[in-house]
Amino acid sequence: MQYILKTYKVYLFPILCIFHFIAITEIKANQQDEVSPYIRPDDFSEPILPQQTLLIKTKAMALSNSTCLPSGFTNAFVFPAYISEKLIQQSQKKLKENQNIMGAEFNAGIEFYFKAPGTRKKTDRFLGISYHNQQITNFSFSRDFFNIVMTGNASYAEKEAKLDKSTGFTLQYESLKFHYLFFTSSKKNHLIQLSPGLARGINYSLFEFKKAILFTPEEGDYLNLELHGRLEESGRSMNRIGNGAVSVGPVIDVGYTFLTEKSKLQLGIHDLGIIFWNKNSMGYARDTNIYFTGINIDNIFNLKESSLVSGDSLLERIKGKNIPSGFSRKLPALLSAKYTYQLSEKYKLEMSLGYRALKDYRPLTECSLLSSFKMGKRHEVGYRVNISYGGWGKFNTGIELVPIKSNHHFLSIGTFFNEGFINPDRWRGNGIHVKYCIQL
Amino acid sequence: MKRTKIKYRPVFFSIIFGTLLLHSCKKEEFTSWDTAVLAPLAESTLGIDNLLADSLLDKSQTDGVHLKFSRLLSLIDTDSLFKIPDTAFVESYKSPFFFPIKLMAGAKLDSIDNLVKFDFSNSRITELMIESGQSVLTLKNYITDIVLFDFTVPKATLNGKSLIHKDLKADTGTIQKPSEINVITDLKGYKFDLKGDNQSQFNRLRGKITARLNPQGSGAIIPPNQNLITYSNEFKGLVPYYARGYLGQPVFSAGDSITSEVFSRLNGNINLKDVKMQLSIENGIGADFSLELKKLVAIKTSSGKNLQLNHEICRSVQTINRAIETPGEVNPFKPYHKSYVLNASNSNVTDFFELLPDKITYDANILVNPLGDISSGNDFIYKTSNIKIKFNLDIPLNLSLSNLSLYDTITTNGIASSSSESIQSGEIRVLAENGFPFDMNIQVKLLDEQRNTLDEFFTQDIIEAAPVNTNSEVIVPKKTTLKLPFNNILRSKLSATRYIVVKANLNSQPPNQLLPILSSYKLKLKLIGSGIFRIILK
């Protein structure tokens, strides 16, 4: 989770630099060709095609949500901080016995779109290139798992802690994609997008406990862990083992947009792909019973240069002895469907459904109301309010402000989920997104 | 309106950058939280074999573990028992005439026939077999013609052939500058018959040298009263493999100390039962000897106490018979053994070892052939012959302990771990499962590099003895928990520790009752950490 913040810092800065550079440059508007009769320059939404020569989009988003954990808890992982006992106790209140879900996502990138050469007049084909860095974290855990990790095993003395059905998954990768967009009819109301590219794996780790029971006796003289599960690791953390060979794989986005005078339907699959993790990756499948009694000191009278305390020993027993080998893992593709309807000149209604291909992720349904107001001849401002359900959380609300919207600039700053900002110690879900687009 | 936007836009974004830069200067913090952990840290099992070397223990006995200690001592250095001194003879030949005379080619010059006597002190040796050594023959020629020599030792034979060198050629020489030749013969494997010419003598070996002018030469004029040729032969560095004869009556003193590692770490009072020590004396020489064991003393250095062994072997001179030859066998002789079993009924051997001696000293006199030449000159000695004494100690660990203490010092580079820094508070519990019928007070002292005491633990804590049944045997171990608060001060002390002094004080329970120690008795120690542990995600 801390990596999210680090990456956030790394990428947000150059993105804002670009933003700053562009923003302080006065760009004169040129007479525009009409891209599509259904894509109006004053459309409130983020532009999807270049109106003139080039469309540059920069985006950054970070969110975390949970079915049970308050935002203050997840924030401590995103913005590293000490998690107080009070916050842990607060988090414990909403825990179910099983299937408690927590997830986080970070994405930052830059995209360039331009009209395809030779099609300047027709403007029915477009090319683009983009770079994104993405990190996804997903946890599903039992109440006992949370308690053991966050409060320790002392309270489980002479009791079994059921860590079954707990999974954890973190993935970070970057992608470079080439975009090809084209209208399929002369009416320019069917837009297809194909974006093949390459994804490079940066970090990957997974644990999956199908069955795991930890027993701590009252005296604490041993720990018994019945474990049936698997662990996988790859990426930067594996560099110490080998030569840090590259982990890459193909990735593609496919999109379809149907435009009418008053509505827009967008369907898409994003990051459908696979990464072949390098040969230094480690996979551990364990079906074992570990009876841990501490480090065995063979002869106490030969205790030379020894440590009495070692945290690695139990972990090593869990991991066992494995030989590094490469493996391939699918990317958690995002499936999305969004329908936007123009209610009036100032208001739009948007319904969307999103699903990320993760075992614990539930379809995220979202309903938004968008409104915009003219500010002078060429500028307008707007906002959006939305309510959502699903994903890694439950009911949430969000808000988005568009302080700059013109023929050339589009800036939006918004939240995915407001609740965690309002009452982080009790409510779940928070996240922000920033977008800036410029038409050149 | 447009101007206004241009004016304020850079200001707006500069504020954003400034905020970001300030944020990046913030001290790095990690996600962390506290957990209450109860977990085993380390374990160790101590058995009797951790206190005493496994090689000293006999666990096959039905009445419990026996401590067995064996030591073999050579009382006499073989070289000192029988030596062959370097022996040489030197002769020269002068012209018997008072005037110069010309000798013809091939003229005989001299002939030496010398009976060499080896000085074996009061031994009368008739036969020798040589392990190593040399015969060094040096010949000098002062004559102005080549001289030919023949050298023969008829009774020095190798595989039945005598030692012979024929036609040794010495080049022409002068009075001022004689020619010289050296002939070195390796005598390894040679057999010397030292019985002389009539086979009734001893220590005697005949050697012959003859010299003549070169028959193919032109002859030479020899001056009067001048050395014409000189001879010397030396038997040098002879080491016998075997000697036969009468070995005489040499007297040897034997004295040494045996260091006993077994008991060196133990102090206090111990009662033992059925201690048995076997003293076995081995005579590997073909001659009788008498042994006077003047003293055999147990010494406890730490207390300054000592005790003389009281047994027949220490009170009277013991005569040990000779070894016998076994021709044709792998070992050419069979040593004679004489054994003495020392136990509580015939000696004070129990008291001797209850002293827990770290040193045993002895002092003995050995006289070879105390009755003279009773073998009629048929004593023998091989290179491997020796007089040895073997101690075989058998102590059944059926004992009673009273304040028996055991010290040990463990060296360490400091007891530390990166994990230990995350411990906010807590305690280390020592869960002891005692399978021995002894109350144990195990004190631990931490010392720094200069051996200053940093801390002491468990000075008053007792690990309780396991109860025994009517057979004085432990059936169920006894559990005791010791607690040691863990804090930052202790952590720094552990880190600075370079020596850990462990002092174990043992008292058998019930007291004053002899209790057998079984090999199954174990002291299991488990180190358990209980406390608040801060997890830090770095």
Side-chain angles (χ1 to χ4, degrees), chain B residues 252-379:
Chain B
F252 301 97
S253 291
D256 206 348
S257 291
I258 307 167
T259 305
S260 166
E261 294 288 335
V262 183
F263 303 116
S264 61
R265 293 185 301 175
L266 302 174
N267 283 293
N269 301 317
I270 185 169
N271 292 320
L272 301 168
K273 185 185 170 189
D274 298 335
V275 176
K276 193 167 74 177
M277 182 167 74
Q278 188 179 40
L279 279 177
S280 181
I281 299 166
E282 177 186 306
N283 183 3
I285 60 173
D288 301 343
F289 74 88
S290 64
L291 172 71
E292 183 189 5
L293 188 58
K294 293 197 287 188
K295 67 172 185 179
L296 186 64
V297 181
I299 299 170
K300 187 67 181 174
T301 309
S302 58
S303 65
K305 290 180 183 173
N306 60 69
L307 184 67
Q308 163 96 32
L309 182 71
N310 187 5
H311 180 262
E312 173 208 342
I313 194 172
C314 301
R315 292 192 291 264
S316 58
V317 176
Q318 307 297 312
T319 301
I320 314 297
N321 292 347
R322 66 186 57 223
I324 54 170
E325 287 193 286
T326 53
E329 293 186 15
V330 177
N331 194 350
F333 67 95
K334 185 180 175 188
Y336 179 82
H337 291 97
K338 187 166 186 179
S339 293
Y340 303 86
V341 176
L342 286 69
N343 53 37
S345 63
N346 63 12
S347 71
N348 63 343
V349 70
T350 303
D351 297 338
F352 191 85
F353 286 104
E354 281 179 352
L355 195 65
L356 302 172
D358 55 329
K359 202 190 283 183
I360 296 171
T361 61
Y362 65 91
D363 190 1
N365 276 345
I366 292 164
L367 171 63
V368 179
N369 283 319
L371 302 175
D373 186 11
I374 58 170
S375 69
S376 304
N378 284 308
D379 297 349

Side-chain angles (χ1 to χ4, degrees), chain B residues 201-214:
Chain B
Q201 293 176 295
F202 48 85
N203 302 350
R204 300 289 197 280
L205 185 67
R206 184 170 292 285
K208 292 179 181 177
I209 298 176
T210 59
R212 61 188 185 282
L213 284 180
N214 181 12

Side-chain angles (χ1 to χ4, degrees), chain B residues 189-223:
Chain B
Y190 270 85
K191 181 180 173 184
F192 287 6
D193 180 346
L194 303 181
K195 291 195 284 286
D197 297 329
N198 57 8
Q199 295 292 298
S200 61
Q201 293 176 295
F202 48 85
N203 302 350
R204 300 289 197 280
L205 185 67
R206 184 170 292 285
K208 292 179 181 177
I209 298 176
T210 59
R212 61 188 185 282
L213 284 180
N214 181 12
Q216 274 77 46
S218 54
I221 296 170
I222 56 171

Side-chain angles (χ1 to χ4, degrees), chain A residues 2 19 76 82-83 153 293, chain B residues 13 31-32 34 38 41 43-44:
Chain A
Q2 287 180 343
F19 176 55
Y82 174 72
I83 304 171
N153 68 330
T293 53
Chain B
F13 288 107
T31 302
S32 62
D34 293 338
L38 175 64
L41 302 174
E43 65 168 352
S44 189

Side-chain angles (χ1 to χ4, degrees), chain A residues 33-282:
Chain A
D33 294 333
E34 192 180 63
V35 170
S36 164
Y38 307 107
I39 299 176
R40 302 197 320 274
D42 60 348
D43 192 342
F44 175 73
S45 302
E46 159 196 344
I48 55 175
L49 289 172
Q51 291 292 334
Q52 183 59 32
T53 308
L54 180 66
L55 168 64
I56 302 171
K57 298 186 192 181
T58 58
K59 299 176 181 180
M61 60 82 83
L63 67 86
S64 69
N65 206 347
S66 172
T67 57
C68 51
L69 303 175
S71 176
F73 181 87
T74 52
N75 283 353
F77 289 90
V78 180
F79 305 101
Y82 174 72
I83 304 171
S84 67
E85 191 180 347
K86 187 182 167 190
L87 185 56
I88 291 171
Q89 285 169 354
Q90 190 66 36
S91 305
Q92 287 171 315
K93 286 180 182 173
K94 299 272 181 174
L95 290 173
K96 293 187 295 179
E97 190 171 338
N98 281 306
Q99 279 218 301
N100 300 288
I101 296 165
M102 184 184 104
E105 189 177 343
F106 166 81
N107 189 335
I110 185 163
E111 301 170 6
F112 299 87
Y113 296 93
F114 50 89
K115 294 171 183 174
T119 62
R120 196 174 179 81
K121 300 283 182 191
K122 294 178 183 175
T123 62
D124 59 354
R125 279 179 284 163
F126 305 88
L127 297 175
I129 185 168
S130 68
Y131 168 82
H132 279 263
N133 188 305
Q134 175 116 356
Q135 181 163 356
I136 297 165
T137 302
N138 178 77
F139 285 96
S140 171
F141 47 89
S142 65
R143 180 190 286 127
D144 287 354
F145 182 91
F146 179 89
N147 289 342
I148 288 288
V149 172
M150 299 308 300
T151 66
N153 68 330
S155 60
Y156 280 84
E158 213 56 30
K159 282 191 283 189
E160 282 186 346
K162 292 181 179 173
L163 317 176
D164 303 357
K165 296 166 191 165
S166 296
T167 59
F169 165 86
T170 63
L171 169 69
Q172 189 190 5
Y173 63 97
E174 55 192 355
S175 61
L176 182 69
K177 291 173 191 160
F178 300 93
H179 304 278
Y180 179 54
L181 298 89
F182 58 96
F183 289 105
T184 58
S185 67
S186 57
K187 290 168 79 176
K188 294 187 177 179
N189 59 346
H190 296 280
L191 180 65
I192 304 285
Q193 178 182 354
L194 294 172
S195 307
L198 274 179
R200 186 179 81 91
I202 298 171
N203 264 317
Y204 168 70
S205 62
L206 169 115
F207 72 85
E208 187 175 48
F209 295 162
K210 287 179 184 166
K211 186 175 184 186
I213 297 172
L214 177 72
F215 179 74
T216 307
E218 193 164 6
E219 288 172 330
D221 53 332
Y222 68 89
L223 295 174
N224 191 72
L225 178 62
E226 191 183 340
L227 178 65
H228 176 45
R230 68 188 173 109
L231 292 95
E232 291 175 352
E233 284 181 278
S234 190
R236 275 186 193 144
S237 58
M238 295 289 104
N239 286 351
R240 60 193 157 86
I241 298 173
N243 54 11
V246 182
S247 303
V248 290
V251 65
I252 191 167
D253 289 357
V254 179
Y256 167 71
T257 306
F258 176 65
L259 301 151
T260 67
E261 190 67 33
K262 284 195 161 187
S263 66
K264 183 166 66 177
L265 174 67
Q266 290 171 291
L267 303 173
I269 302 174
H270 306 275
D271 287 352
L272 180 67
I274 191 168
I275 290 179
F276 297 93
W277 292 96
N278 65 46
K279 62 183 179 183
N280 301 320
S281 308
M282 298 290 282

